[in-house]
C-alpha cells in the first residue's frame, strides 16, 4: 500500500490552525511584571486552504498572533492578514495561487505571485505594518489586529518593501528597500518620522539577488549583494531561476543615509549568505556589521555551483569591519553555535551595543529553536536560556523596562511550543537573568504554529495608534 509523504511544513506545529479566536484572562504560570504593558505580536505563515502542488514554509497566508499584557494579566487573539489574495481565495473557498516552488499559474489572477504579508512587523509613525518582501506592507489596527489594507505611502511607493525596515531610534526615520528581478534591482527609500516617503534611490548591482535584510548606522545604510542570484537566462535554458553561486564574492555596499550610487562604497568578502543582521555601528573609520552568516544556502531548494556544503545552511554569528578610508574588510566568527533570528534592544539600533540575542538552533533538518542565546559583544561570551526538552520557540523580542538605564534591563518574549504536552505559551524571560526560569509563562488556549518575526507594541504606542 502506497503512503503519501507528509510535507513537514504542514505537519506538527508547522501545520496551520483553522480558527481565529479571542481569549481573555489567560492562565499565567509565574507572574507577569507589573510594568510590562503593551502587546506582543508575531507574524507567520498559516495557509487558509490546502496548497496547490509543493508547499514551502514561506508560502502560507500571514497570520498574526497577539498577546496583550496589562496589570499582570494577558489576553490573546489571532487574525489573518486579510490581503487581496486572501480575500479572493476566501471567496472561492480554495487556494488559487501556487507557491514559490511551483511555476506561477497563467490565468486571470491580478498578480502571478500573491503577497501573503506573512514575514515580519514594524511599528512606525503610529502604525503597525505587516511585511512581505515581494510587495507592499499592510497596515494593521491594534490591538484588534484588524487589516486596514495595503500601505503605499499615499501612492509614493514604487518598489516592494523589505520584511526588515530599520527605524532610527534617535531621528525617528525609517529606512527601507525593495528588490526585484528587473533593473533597478534594488531601490532604497527613506521615510520621515511622520510617515512621509521622502526619497527613493536606485542602487546599482550587477544582477538580481535575493536581499532579505540590510542594516543602518548613525550615518550609513549597508546593503548586502550576496551571490543568491535570479536569472531568467538560466530559466530559459531549463536551469533553476534561483541559484547560490559560490564562485562569486559577497559584496557589501555602504552608502550615506541620504546618498545614492554616486557615493556608495563597495567591499568584497568570501561568498556567503545572510538572512538577518543583528546590528551595525560606526567605530572610528570603520563600519561594523554583526549578522548571522551561512557559507551558502539551499533555501527554496536552491542548487549550488559545486557539491553541497554540509556546513552550508548553518547560521552562526559573525562580525565584519569595513574601513571606509582604506577599503579594508575583515570578517570573524563570534560563535560556532548555530543560531538565527538576531535581535537587540532596538532603542540602540545603529549604535554600538553590548548585548545581542539570537534563537539557538536545534540539531536536525527543520528550523527548530531550543533556546535564547544572550551575547556579550564586549567580551564575546554568551549565556543560554534553554526552553527545555521537547520545547521549541522562535525569535525572542527584547522589551525594555520602562525607565531602564541599563541596556539589558528588560524582558525577552517569544512563543514556545511543548511537543510533549502539545501546548503553546508565551514565555517571558528576564534578560538580566537569562539562564534563570522564565518570570512568566502565559498559556495560550490554542496552538500557535511556528512562525517568523515579532514586534512589541508598547502601551504608549497602542494609545497613539492611528
Amino acid at each position: 500500500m502506497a503512503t503519501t509523504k507528509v510535507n513537514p511544513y504542514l505537519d506538527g506545529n508547522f501545520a496551520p490552525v483553522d480558527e481565529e479566536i479571542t481569549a481573555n484572562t489567560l492562565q499565567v504560570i509565574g507572574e507577569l511584571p507589573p510594568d510590562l504593558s503593551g502587546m506582543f505580536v508575531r507574524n507567520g505563515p498559516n495557509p487558509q486552504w490546502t496548497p496547490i502542488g509543493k508547499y514551502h514554509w514561506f508560502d502560507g497566508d500571514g497570520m498574526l498572533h497577539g498577546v496583550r499584557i496589562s496589570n499582570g494579566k494577558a489576553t490573546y487573539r489571532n487574525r489573518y492578514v486579510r490581503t487581496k489574495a486572501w480575500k479572493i481565495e476566501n471567496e472561492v473557498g480554495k487556494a488559487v495561487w501556487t507557491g514559490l516552488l511551483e511555476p506561477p499559474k497563467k490565468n486571470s489572477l491580478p498578480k502571478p505571485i500573491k503577497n501573503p504579508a506573512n514575514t515580519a512587523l514594524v511599528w512606525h509613525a503610529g502604525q503597525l505594518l505587516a511585511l512581505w518582501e515581494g510587495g507592499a506592507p499592510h497596515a494593521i489596527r491594534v490591538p484588534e489586529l484588524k487589516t486596514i489594507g495595503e500601505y503605499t505611502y499615499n501612492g509614493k511607493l514604487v518598489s516592494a518593501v523589505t520584511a526588515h525596515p530599520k527605524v532610527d531610534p534617535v531621528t525617528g526615520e525609517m529606512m527601507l528597500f525593495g528588490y526585484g528581478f528587473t533593473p533597478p534591482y534594488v531601490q532604497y527609500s527613506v521615510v520621515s518620522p511622520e510617515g512621509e516617503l521622502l526619497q527613493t534611490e536606485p542602487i546599482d548591482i550587477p544582477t538580481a539577488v535575493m536581499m532579505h535584510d540590510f542594516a543602518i548606522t548613525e550615518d550609513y545604510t549597508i546593503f548586502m549583494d550576496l551571490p543568491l542570484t535570479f536569472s531568467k537566462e538560466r530559466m530559459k535554458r531549463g536551469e533553476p531561476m534561483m541559484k547560490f553561486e559560490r564562485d562569486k564574492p559577497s559584496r557589501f555596499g555602504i552608502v550615506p543615509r541620504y546618498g545614492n550610487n554616486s557615493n556608495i562604497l563597495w567591499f568584497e568578502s568570501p561568498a556567503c549568505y545572510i538572512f538577518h543582521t543583528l546590528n551595525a555601528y560606526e567605530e572610528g573609520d570603520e563600519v561594523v556589521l554583526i549578522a548571522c552568516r551561512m557559507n551558502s544556502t539551499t533555501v527554496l531548494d536552491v542548487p549550488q555551483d559545486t557539491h553541497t556544503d554540509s556546513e552550508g545552511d548553518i547560521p552562526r554569528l559573525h562580525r565584519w569591519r569595513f574601513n571606509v578610508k582604506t577599503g579594508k574588510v575583515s570578517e570573524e566568527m563570534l560563535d560556532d553555535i548555530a543560531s538565527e533570528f538576531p535581535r537587540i534592544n532596538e532603542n540602540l539600533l545603529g549604535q554600538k551595543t553590548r548585548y545581542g540575542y539570537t534563537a539557538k538552533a536545534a540539531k536536525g533538518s527543520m528550523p527548530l529553536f531550543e533556546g535564547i542565546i544572550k551575547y556579550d559583544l564586549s567580551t564575546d561570551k554568551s549565556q543560554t536560556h534553554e526552553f527545555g526538552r521537547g520545547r521549541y520557540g522562535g525569535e525572542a523580542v527584547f522589551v525594555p523596562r520602562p525607565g531602564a538605564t541599563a541596556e539589558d534591563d528588560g524582558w525577552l518574549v517569544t512563543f514556545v511550543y511543548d511537543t510533549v504536552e502539545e501546548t503553546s505559551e508565551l514565555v517571558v524571560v528576564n534578560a538580566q537573568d537569562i539562564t534563570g526560569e522564565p518570570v512568566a509563562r502565559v498559556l495560550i488556549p490554542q496552538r500557535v504554529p511556528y512562525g517568523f518575526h515579532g514586534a512589541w507594541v508598547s502601551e504608549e504606542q497602542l494609545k497613539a495608534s492611528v
Side-chain angles (χ1 to χ4, degrees):
M1 182 176 157
T3 57
T4 305
K5 189 179 178 185
V6 176
N7 186 318
Y9 290 116
L10 294 170
D11 193 36
N13 197 44
F14 287 95
V17 292
D18 296 328
E19 285 188 76
E20 295 175 313
I21 69 167
T22 302
N24 298 316
T25 322
L26 303 182
Q27 183 184 346
V28 179
I29 297 171
E31 194 174 331
L32 285 165
D35 46 356
L36 178 62
S37 190
M39 189 173 192
F40 175 70
V41 188
R42 202 218 63 205
N43 203 347
N46 196 91
Q48 181 183 193
W49 305 107
T50 302
I52 299 169
K54 294 179 191 169
Y55 172 78
H56 190 279
W57 197 27
F58 296 173
D59 290 335
D61 298 289
M63 179 176 274
L64 306 177
H65 299 263
V67 177
R68 173 87 165 88
I69 296 171
S70 182
N71 299 317
K73 293 184 170 57
T75 63
Y76 166 81
R77 70 180 62 213
N78 65 308
R79 298 291 186 272
Y80 277 109
V81 183
R82 282 162 164 74
T83 63
K84 290 174 184 172
W86 185 93
K87 289 176 181 175
I88 289 169
E89 293 187 329
N90 184 260
E91 202 162 298
V92 300
K94 65 178 182 178
V96 177
W97 275 265
T98 51
L100 296 168
L101 299 179
E102 298 282 343
K105 289 178 77 174
K106 290 180 179 175
N107 53 20
S108 58
L109 294 175
K111 290 184 177 178
I113 300 172
K114 76 174 180 180
N115 176 352
N118 67 7
T119 310
L121 297 149
V122 69
W123 177 272
H124 187 245
Q127 182 65 68
L128 185 67
L129 299 174
L131 302 154
W132 176 73
E133 66 202 64
H138 283 75
I140 305 297
R141 183 172 292 126
V142 285
E144 301 91 340
L145 301 184
K146 182 180 178 181
T147 305
I148 299 167
E150 284 195 352
Y151 198 82
T152 62
Y153 296 92
N154 294 318
K156 287 185 179 179
L157 189 66
V158 296
S159 71
V161 173
T162 173
H164 298 290
K166 306 299 178 195
V167 178
D168 185 321
V170 177
T171 69
E173 293 167 307
M174 183 168 77
M175 278 51 73
L176 59 88
F177 73 92
Y179 69 85
F181 304 129
T182 55
Y185 296 122
V186 179
Q187 299 196 73
Y188 164 51
S189 300
V190 179
V191 181
S192 77
E194 296 75 33
E196 182 189 352
L197 201 154
L198 299 176
Q199 67 176 69
T200 297
E201 296 285 347
I203 300 295
D204 286 346
I205 59 173
T207 191
V209 299
M210 182 178 177
M211 192 183 292
H212 185 67
D213 201 355
F214 72 142
I216 64 165
T217 69
E218 184 180 353
D219 298 310
Y220 297 105
T221 297
I222 304 162
F223 293 101
M224 302 187 295
D225 176 14
L226 309 177
L228 181 54
T229 64
F230 298 99
S231 168
K232 288 182 180 175
E233 284 69 33
R234 269 201 307 261
M235 194 170 65
K236 287 172 187 171
R237 296 194 299 264
E239 298 172 23
M241 183 179 180
M242 195 176 180
K243 187 176 185 180
F244 185 82
E245 300 188 64
R246 62 168 64 249
D247 58 333
K248 289 187 175 180
S250 294
R251 300 170 71 241
F252 297 84
I254 298 178
V255 64
R257 177 166 300 180
Y258 312 109
N260 54 39
N261 283 310
S262 68
N263 48 12
I264 192 167
L265 297 173
W266 287 101
F267 298 79
E268 289 191 0
S269 69
C272 71
Y273 196 72
I274 295 163
F275 270 107
H276 301 115
T277 63
L278 176 87
N279 194 24
Y281 57 91
E282 297 159 42
E283 199 166 60
D285 293 337
E286 291 182 326
V287 170
V288 182
L289 172 70
I290 302 174
C292 293
R293 177 199 187 277
M294 300 182 289
N295 283 352
S296 57
T297 181
T298 55
V299 67
L300 298 179
D301 293 344
V302 168
Q304 300 178 30
D305 267 349
T306 56
H307 64 280
T308 302
D309 180 357
S310 61
E311 291 280 289
D313 284 297
I314 301 175
R316 297 183 174 95
L317 202 64
H318 281 63
R319 182 193 287 131
W320 290 257
R321 292 182 178 274
F322 308 102
N323 191 306
V324 297
K325 290 282 174 67
T326 66
K328 187 183 174 188
V329 56
S330 66
E331 173 187 304
E332 62 176 323
M333 185 168 70
L334 299 181
D335 194 4
D336 60 1
I337 300 294
S339 71
E340 247 291 353
F341 291 130
R343 296 295 291 247
I344 61 166
N345 178 341
E346 288 178 7
N347 288 334
L348 296 167
L349 187 74
Q351 303 162 48
K352 187 173 184 178
T353 60
R354 179 172 179 179
Y355 300 107
Y357 310 92
T358 62
K360 183 188 178 192
K363 286 185 168 61
S365 60
M366 296 299 285
L368 295 172
F369 298 93
E370 61 189 16
I372 305 167
I373 304 176
K374 177 185 182 181
Y375 286 99
D376 185 331
L377 299 166
S378 65
T379 63
D380 290 344
K381 291 182 178 173
S382 67
Q383 294 177 296
T384 303
H385 176 88
E386 304 283 357
F387 295 135
R389 189 172 181 181
R391 289 166 57 85
Y392 301 102
E395 176 187 71
V397 173
F398 181 86
V399 182
R401 186 189 303 274
T405 53
E407 181 190 322
D408 62 343
D409 187 3
W411 305 275
L412 294 159
V413 291
T414 188
F415 287 118
V416 168
Y417 180 70
D418 190 311
T419 60
V420 177
E421 300 292 331
E422 297 185 343
T423 53
S424 295
E425 57 196 58
L426 182 79
V427 172
V428 181
V429 176
N430 179 350
Q432 293 184 321
D433 181 23
I434 192 84
T435 58
E437 290 291 311
V439 295
R441 294 165 52 203
V442 180
L443 305 188
I444 310 296
Q446 177 170 269
R447 186 171 60 81
V448 178
Y450 300 126
F452 299 137
H453 302 280
W456 176 258
V457 185
S458 69
E459 194 66 33
E460 293 72 28
Q461 289 169 335
L462 285 172
K463 287 173 181 170
S465 63
V466 293

